[in-house]
């Protein structure tokens, strides 16, 4: 077993059970571990700290599996972790009303780099670390054993794999994968999800509870849903009795599916307007046209994946929030989100505050929202908390 020894004084994060070891903290290696192989992590005095997966190309040189010296990193270890993650979801999800949710949330389920989403009887798996890549077949077998899905589809088609020295890859890992969009249930609302071609693993499962929140406040409101994707917030707002919903997204395919989703749930496209276009531009057009709404939803894609892009991203958030406020009726509500890991909650709040100031509205935060609990944040891994939402009400 290869030993990875940390520089003197660099063991603090590991002792606090943070799962990442950066290359700059590494003093030496006793051998040449392959990508994803298990190493023993020790402090500069030779004391055991943890077992981790080695990643030769990554800035994150190792990700911790366990802090228990007596633990063997083998298939039973992964089976135990996966069992624990599944059990948690059993306490969170009512299968009667919700058939799609995140089963494994990587670092926060103590399985660094592994995402598994469940869509009915199909699992979609995304591998983001050298360690999980190393155990890919064993993990697939464990998922088959514990869940017995109809199929497991791998969607490791994300650029961050490059940082781990891994190629992008998609394809069936086992079983039959639906080639056409499938019908899922979320809080009793139906959605078609394209597992093969959709964004992320097909659906933005992390917004489930926030969509439910939207349903609860939508009664009789005129709603503007920006970055609508396949109509998640749109369908919930309509189910909550919204008077009208205007949905904007730049993706033709997404809006096409959004319309199908509304049809599935209310049987017609009544009270709906659709725009395929760029939100930055369309918000200005709506403003120029004198349009006003009771509820504006802003759920943009990740403008700042890391802190280095935060400044540039802040301009984007500021712009859409400024126009979001301008398009609200007095006493209106803004639901504004950021899923950028590089922008923390306080910074996001400041951006929204700046936007309100420029829009010359007086506004109060009523609720703070975050990702749904099937996307937990491990307390030792604050980076796991990426989705921030503010529900803001403007003055009359
Ligand atoms: N709210 C959605 C998820 C939004 S994901 C839900 O609950 O399912 C972000 C969406 O923004 C994607 O659908 C993407 O196509 C769209 N998008 C990205 N940049 C855009 C832009 N400049 N203008 C309009 N839509 C954009």
């Amino acid at each position: 077993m290869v030993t990875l020894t940390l520089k003197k004084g660099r063991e603090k994060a590991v002792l606090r059970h943070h799962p990442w070891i950066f290359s700059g903290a590494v003093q030496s290696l006793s051998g040449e571990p392959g990508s994803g192989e298990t190493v023993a992590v020790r402090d500069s005095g030779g004391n055991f700290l943890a077992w981790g997966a080695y990643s030769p190309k990554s800035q994150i040189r190792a990700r911790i599996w366990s802090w228990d010296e007596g633990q063997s990193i083998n298939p039973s270890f992964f089976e135990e972790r996966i069992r624990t993650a599944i059990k948690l979801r059993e306490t969170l999800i009512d299968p009667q009303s919700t058939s799609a949710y995140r089963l494994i949330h990587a670092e926060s389920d103590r399985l660094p780099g592994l995402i598994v989403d469940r869509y009915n009887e199909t699992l979609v798996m995304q591998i983001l670390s050298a360690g999980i890549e190393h155990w890919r077949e064993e993990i697939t077998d464990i998922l088959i054993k514990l869940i017995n899905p109809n199929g497991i589809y791998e969607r490791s088609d994300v650029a961050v794999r490059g940082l781990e020295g891994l190629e992008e890859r998609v394809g069936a890992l086992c079983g039959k994968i639906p080639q056409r969009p499938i019908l899922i249930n979320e809080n009793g609302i139906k959605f078609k999800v394209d597992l093969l071609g959709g964004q992320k693993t097909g659906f933005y499962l992390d917004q489930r509870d926030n969509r439910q929140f939207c349903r609860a406040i939508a009664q009789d409101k005129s709603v503007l849903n920006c970055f609508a994707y396949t109509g998640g917030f749109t369908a919930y707002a309509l189910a909550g009795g919204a008077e009208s919903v205007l949905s904007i997204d730049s993706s033709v395919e997404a809006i096409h599916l959004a319309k199908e989703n509304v049809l599935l749930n209310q049987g017609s496209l009544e009270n709906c307007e659709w725009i395929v276009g760029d939100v930055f531009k369309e918000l200005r057009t709506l403003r120029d046209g004198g349009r006003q709404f009771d509820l504006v939803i802003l759920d943009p894609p990740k403008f700042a994946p890391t802190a280095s892009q935060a400044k540039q991203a802040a301009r984007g958030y500021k712009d859409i929030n400024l126009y979001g406020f301008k398009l609200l009726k007095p006493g209106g509500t803004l639901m504004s989100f950021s899923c950028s890991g590089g922008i923390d909650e306080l910074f996001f709040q400041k951006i929204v505050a700046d936007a309100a100031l420029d829009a010359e509205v007086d506004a109060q935060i009523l609720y703070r929202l975050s990702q749904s609990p099937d996307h937990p944040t491990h307390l030792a891994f604050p980076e796991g908390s990426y989705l921030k939402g503010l529900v803001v009400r403007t003055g009359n």
Side-chain angles (χ1 to χ4, degrees), residues 199 203-204 207 211 225-233 248-251 254 277-280 299-301:
Q199 298 179 23
F203 202 58
Y204 288 83
Q207 287 282 25
R211 289 189 278 261
N225 180 16
C226 300
F227 308 97
Y229 188 48
T230 54
F233 282 98
I248 309 178
D249 201 279
S250 55
S251 158
D278 178 12
V279 165
F280 289 88
D299 184 23

Side-chain angles (χ1 to χ4, degrees), residues 1-4 29 33 37-41 48 50-54 62 65:
M1 176 73 60
V2 173
T3 293
L4 182 157
L29 273 172
E37 277 180 18
T38 304
V39 293
V41 180
F48 176 88
W51 300 113
Y54 187 69
W65 294 130

Side-chain angles (χ1 to χ4, degrees), residues 309-329:
Q309 295 119 307
K311 222 175 138 198
Q312 171 72 22
R315 278 199 278 276
Y317 287 116
K318 165 90 182 285
D319 190 74
I320 54 174
N321 281 280
L322 170 65
Y323 278 87
F325 279 124
K326 287 187 178 187
L327 287 164
L328 276 180
K329 289 181 192 163

Side-chain angles (χ1 to χ4, degrees), residues 210-385:
N210 302 330
R211 289 189 278 261
Q212 186 75 310
F213 181 95
C214 170
R215 162 152 68 175
I217 63 166
Q219 183 74 46
D220 298 328
K221 290 196 165 80
S222 54
V223 180
L224 171 61
N225 180 16
C226 300
F227 308 97
Y229 188 48
T230 54
F233 282 98
T234 303
Y236 274 77
L238 291 166
E243 172 197 279
S244 64
V245 185
L246 167 54
S247 311
I248 309 178
D249 201 279
S250 55
S251 158
V252 184
E253 296 81 22
I255 289 290
H256 177 75
L257 217 46
K259 288 182 185 170
E260 289 198 35
N261 287 332
V262 168
L263 276 173
L264 269 171
N265 289 289
Q266 68 168 23
S268 79
L269 294 178
E270 219 177 325
N271 306 324
C272 293
E273 267 184 276
W274 311 92
I275 298 178
V276 175
D278 178 12
V279 165
F280 289 88
K281 184 174 150 281
E282 300 301 335
L283 287 178
R284 287 172 167 77
T285 309
L286 290 168
R287 165 79 184 167
D288 293 344
R291 294 287 296 266
Q292 296 260 278
F293 301 87
D294 297 308
L295 171 63
V296 173
I297 301 159
L298 301 170
D299 184 23
K302 219 185 278 173
F303 290 155
T306 64
S308 61
Q309 295 119 307
K311 222 175 138 198
Q312 171 72 22
R315 278 199 278 276
Y317 287 116
K318 165 90 182 285
D319 190 74
I320 54 174
N321 281 280
L322 170 65
Y323 278 87
F325 279 124
K326 287 187 178 187
L327 287 164
L328 276 180
K329 289 181 192 163
T333 304
L334 179 72
M335 286 182 77
S336 182
F337 295 97
S338 163
C339 59
S340 292
I343 291 191
D344 68 21
E345 204 178 332
L346 267 182
F347 187 29
F348 183 55
Q349 182 173 324
K350 181 168 184 311
I351 295 167
V352 176
D354 286 349
L357 203 62
D358 283 10
E360 297 180 2
V361 297
D362 216 36
Q364 297 165 304
I365 296 172
L366 302 189
Y367 299 93
R368 293 171 190 278
L369 306 177
S370 68
Q371 64 228 37
S372 299
D374 52 332
H375 299 59
T377 301
H378 198 286
L379 271 176
F381 185 67
E383 294 88 338
S385 175

